[in-house]
Amino acid sequence: MKRDDDNNGGNGSGDDLDHGVAVKSRTKTKKPSMYKVLMLNDDYTPMEFVIQVLEQFFAKNHDEATKIMLHVHQKGVGVCGVFTYEVAETKVNQTMDLAQQHQHPLQCTIEKD
Ligand code: TYC
């Protein structure tokens, strides 16, 4: 999908309509960089806890959460979602805080997409 970034209403020329006066107004918008939240496998965190985290903080349904958890369990690492930096950071903190409260060693990290 093409974006009309130059805030001139999309006439494409960056100026006003054709009345002989060119008035440029251009405010460039930039798409934010996106970041993956990765979940790491360990030998101790219960599978059901990982599924609960994926449902609670990453808005996955039970089937999606189970699939991601099993992928991490088998491959060692998996993607929970892709977010702007602040959102990714919040989800990592929520996950690690809950894991710590339950004394599970679950780890997740952020990686630039
Ligand atoms: N390997 C864990 C177990 O067998 C389950 C697990 C899955 C742990 C994914 C962490 O990110 C994880 N109980």
Side-chain angles (χ1 to χ4, degrees):
M1 183 83 132
K2 262 200 164 169
R3 300 193 316 166
D4 176 27
D5 279 357
D6 55 5
N7 293 355
N8 65 12
N11 78 50
S13 63
D15 60 18
D16 60 352
L17 295 174
D18 193 9
H19 300 298
V21 184
V23 180
K24 274 200 181 178
S25 67
R26 188 182 186 84
T27 307
K28 253 298 183 192
T29 54
K30 278 207 260 71
K31 281 183 278 183
S33 297
M34 300 300 279
Y35 296 82
K36 288 187 278 210
V37 173
L38 302 179
M39 187 162 279
L40 308 179
N41 189 36
D42 66 70
D43 291 339
Y44 304 103
T45 304
M47 290 183 173
E48 277 307 325
F49 182 83
V50 177
I51 292 169
Q52 184 202 323
V53 161
L54 289 164
E55 291 173 349
Q56 192 172 333
F57 300 137
F58 295 91
K60 303 300 182 188
N61 65 38
H62 197 74
D63 282 2
E64 291 168 338
T66 302
K67 204 173 143 190
I68 294 169
M69 182 282 295
L70 284 174
H71 174 96
V72 176
H73 177 69
Q74 286 158 10
K75 311 270 184 187
V77 61
V79 179
C80 303
V82 183
F83 310 98
T84 58
Y85 190 84
E86 278 205 339
V87 173
E89 195 181 33
T90 299
K91 290 177 189 297
V92 166
N93 289 337
Q94 288 171 323
T95 299
M96 306 276 271
D97 286 353
L98 191 68
Q100 196 162 56
Q101 283 169 37
H102 291 260
Q103 300 186 301
H104 298 318
L106 183 63
Q107 297 287 323
C108 51
T109 60
I110 295 173
E111 178 180 281
K112 197 157 192 226
D113 198 24

